[in-house]
Amino acid sequence: LASLTQIAQVALATLDSEQREASPWVSTVCEGLAQERANSPPPLSSALHRAVSTELAGIKVSHDHEVCVLGGALFIDMVTTHSLNPAVAIEVDGPAHYLPDPHTPGTLRPTPVTRFKRRLLESQGYAA
């Protein structure tokens, strides 16, 4: 599952939508990934994720949890379900998503994996 996910993410990052549609290997990977995801439980939400969700619900922001997107290549922690356009992808990034910034002591920056995921989401029209 991890290998299929990585292959799909590379395709998303390196090919535009027309190239992805014209490449039979991309659809094969995404179909295989979708089948694997259908047979797997969704990721578990962290306590921080659940707390953020509770706060959003308290201010009447409707949202879905652990939303599988891009043919199963990514899960988004939460996605708004009301009339915001574009839909807002809400990633609850805890401490594991950040590293110390070597250029600015005392500050943190997103990890490469976190930055990559944000770029993929934005390339698909999400505000992340």
Side-chain angles (χ1 to χ4, degrees):
L1 186 58
S3 295
L4 283 175
T5 299
Q6 289 176 339
I7 293 168
Q9 288 174 351
V10 167
L12 288 167
T14 59
L15 303 174
D16 65 30
S17 60
E18 289 180 14
Q19 291 171 317
R20 286 193 302 268
E21 290 173 13
S23 301
W25 69 270
V26 174
S27 62
T28 300
V29 167
C30 287
E31 287 169 14
L33 186 55
Q35 289 174 1
E36 288 294 321
R37 292 278 189 219
N39 297 323
S40 301
L44 296 175
S45 298
S46 69
L48 177 59
H49 174 141
R50 292 189 302 273
V52 170
S53 177
T54 299
E55 292 299 320
L56 288 171
I59 60 170
K60 309 289 188 230
V61 175
S62 59
H63 56 282
D64 290 329
H65 295 269
E66 301 299 348
V67 177
C68 185
V69 296
L70 306 173
L74 294 174
F75 276 96
I76 301 174
D77 290 343
M78 293 175 263
V79 176
T80 58
T81 56
H82 50 72
S83 62
L84 288 180
N85 189 15
V88 177
I90 302 168
E91 284 293 307
V92 181
D93 293 341
H97 291 269
Y98 296 93
L99 298 169
D101 187 336
H103 305 292
T104 312
T107 62
L108 300 173
R109 65 178 180 174
T111 65
V113 171
T114 298
R115 289 194 325 260
F116 176 69
K117 184 173 183 179
R118 288 177 185 172
R119 278 197 317 271
L120 283 179
L121 291 173
E122 288 168 358
S123 75
Q124 299 302 305
Y126 288 95

